[in-house]
Amino acid sequence: MYHGVGPDRPGWIWNFLLTPVDVFEGQMKALRDNGWTTISLAQLHAHLSSGDPLPEKPVVLTFDDGYLDNYVLAWPILKKYGHRAVIWMTTDFIDPSTEPRPTLDSGAEGGAWKSGMPVSGFLSLAEMRLMEASGHIEIQSHAKTHTWYPTGPQVVDFHRPIGVEGYEPPPWLAWNR
C-alpha cells in the first residue's frame, strides 16, 4: 500500500507517507522485470469467489486517500511499466477542479515537480475519470470522511477553536472544517 509518490515536502505533517519518485519507479520496474503482474480487485474477487485463474505472481497495488501525486507522478509510471493500481478515495477530499492538471508524462523535462506542476492536494473527478478510462487505475471508496471519532467512557479533551492559547489541535480534527 502506498499513499503518495513525490518529492520530499519539508514541513508537511504527512511527509513520511511519501515514496520518492525514483524509488517508486525502481519498484515498478522491479515488479515488471521479476515477472509480477498487477491485477484488479475484480480479478482478485473472481479468483476468490469462483476460482478464476490468476497470472503467475499476481499483486494488487493500492494507494490510500487519493492524493494528487497519484495522478501527476504515480499514474504515468504505472502506465510506463504496464501496471494497474487501486486508489482508495475519501470523497470529502475530492478537489473541485474541473480541468485535469498536468502529469509527469505531459512532456515536462526532468519530472513534473521540477517544472512547477502541482503535486500537493487531492484528485479531482476529471482526473479520476481519466485514470479509470486508461485501464491502469481503479477508483474505490475509502470513506466519506477520514476523521476518526474516538469514543470512551469519559471526555478527555475537545476540539477548541484555532488561536486558543496553548492549544494545538491534532491535524485530523481540522479535516471536517
Side-chain angles (χ1 to χ4, degrees):
M1 175 179 68
Y2 295 93
H3 279 83
V5 173
D8 189 45
R9 298 179 202 157
W12 186 46
I13 190 167
W14 306 115
N15 197 44
F16 67 94
L17 297 175
L18 291 173
T19 301
V21 178
D22 59 334
V23 171
F24 180 72
E25 182 156 9
Q27 292 169 346
M28 296 306 102
K29 183 180 184 311
L31 285 176
R32 185 201 63 195
D33 292 352
N34 288 289
W36 291 88
T37 302
T38 55
I39 62 169
S40 68
L41 291 180
Q43 287 174 286
L44 180 59
H45 180 265
H47 174 73
L48 294 174
S49 63
S50 305
D52 287 8
L54 289 176
E56 287 207 29
K57 298 172 89 172
V59 63
V60 176
L61 300 178
T62 65
F63 288 84
D64 206 18
D65 300 327
Y67 291 109
L68 176 59
D69 59 46
N70 298 175
Y71 167 77
V72 174
L73 301 170
W75 178 47
I77 293 169
L78 290 165
K79 290 188 297 184
K80 178 178 178 178
Y81 293 100
H83 293 315
R84 347 170 40 136
V86 180
I87 297 175
W88 298 97
M89 186 71 202
T90 300
T91 58
D92 276 356
F93 292 174
I94 295 174
D95 187 281
S97 302
T98 57
E99 293 297 318
R101 290 162 278 194
T103 66
L104 183 63
D105 59 1
S106 298
E109 190 174 322
W113 66 96
K114 293 178 184 173
S115 301
M117 290 186 205
V119 292
S120 297
F122 294 94
L123 298 169
S124 70
L125 286 174
E127 292 154 351
M128 287 186 269
R129 286 183 178 125
L130 277 175
M131 289 190 294
E132 280 225 321
S134 77
H136 291 274
I137 300 291
E138 179 180 347
I139 304 292
Q140 294 290 339
S141 177
H142 183 308
K144 179 185 180 324
T145 184
H146 203 288
T147 304
W148 300 294
Y149 293 101
T151 61
Q154 73 183 78
V155 174
V156 295
D157 203 355
F158 61 95
H159 186 47
R160 289 167 269 232
I162 292 177
V164 172
E165 186 177 338
Y167 178 65
E168 182 65 35
W172 54 267
L173 284 176
W175 292 347
N176 276 347
R177 270 192 272 150

